[in-house]
Amino acid sequence: MEQLKWMAAGLILVSSAWVGFHAALRLRRTGEELQELRGALDRMTGEIRYAGTPFAPLCKRLAESSSGSVRHFFQGLAAGTEHGAGCGLTRRIAQEVGLTLPNSALSVLERLFDDFGNRDLEAQLSQLCLAQEELSRLETELRVLMPGKCRSYEVLGIVTGLSLLILVL
């Protein structure tokens, strides 16, 4: 019976710590995705400005040069655009592929991609520039806050596990 009690205590501690460390990992992944999306938008600007690449082939190219969820996001955009999916496509694909972006970043991407191609070249380029600036601002903000937030999540997970252990034991 005593051994079972210690096993349960260990499980409580490990699972609570895992939740904290997983939250910190998710936050780090958000930073990486913001950085990769910002780079993709930069490449997109160049492609549109100098080559005039249409949206669906452009998304396919961006998918080839991206990784992880960002790659799947651009693959989904390309496929959705080819099939004529309209409003709400960006958010739906972002959720399907598991992008861990904050709502403000998703809103920026929605404003950019949901009606992309319905404007003239200069308007598209200015929309891309605005989206890049906003993603850059969010990335910088997250980079400044990330070390403290990650540490807080990790410590909170461990402390929660210890608190539950005290209550159980």
Side-chain angles (χ1 to χ4, degrees):
M1 188 66 172
E2 188 69 26
Q3 186 179 15
L4 184 61
K5 187 176 178 182
W6 284 108
M7 284 177 45
L11 284 174
I12 289 171
L13 184 60
V14 168
S15 62
S16 295
W18 180 84
V19 169
F21 282 93
H22 184 266
L25 180 66
R26 188 173 166 97
L27 188 62
R28 287 184 186 100
R29 194 169 115 204
T30 298
E32 292 168 1
E33 288 175 353
L34 281 171
Q35 184 177 14
E36 192 167 359
L37 279 168
R38 197 172 46 83
L41 293 184
D42 189 41
R43 289 188 304 275
M44 183 179 250
T45 301
E47 284 275 341
I48 289 173
R49 179 171 280 142
Y50 301 113
T53 309
F55 187 65
L58 180 57
C59 286
K60 287 178 183 177
R61 278 191 192 171
L62 292 171
E64 291 170 1
S65 63
S66 301
S67 62
S69 297
V70 175
R71 170 185 294 241
H72 297 300
F73 174 70
F74 282 113
Q75 287 171 340
L77 278 179
T81 303
E82 288 174 344
H83 294 109
C87 191
L89 176 69
T90 305
R91 187 171 292 269
R92 183 175 50 80
I93 290 173
Q95 290 171 345
E96 286 174 5
V97 301
L99 283 178
T100 59
L101 299 175
N103 275 332
S104 54
L106 277 175
S107 297
V108 167
L109 294 177
E110 276 182 313
R111 284 193 307 268
L112 177 63
F113 291 135
D114 277 355
D115 64 347
F116 201 83
N118 294 335
R119 297 189 178 98
D120 66 345
L121 180 65
E122 288 306 314
Q124 287 178 348
L125 290 173
S126 69
Q127 281 290 96
L128 275 166
C129 184
L130 289 172
Q132 285 174 314
E133 288 173 6
E134 183 63 18
L135 289 180
S136 181
R137 185 191 65 75
L138 288 169
E139 181 189 359
T140 302
E141 185 179 297
L142 185 63
R143 194 177 328 115
V144 168
L145 297 174
M146 192 180 316
K149 278 187 149 188
C150 286
R151 188 74 181 142
S152 295
Y153 289 148
E154 292 164 352
V155 169
L156 188 61
I158 292 170
V159 169
T160 302
L162 290 172
S163 301
L164 286 172
L165 269 178
I166 290 170
L167 289 174
V168 169
L169 295 178

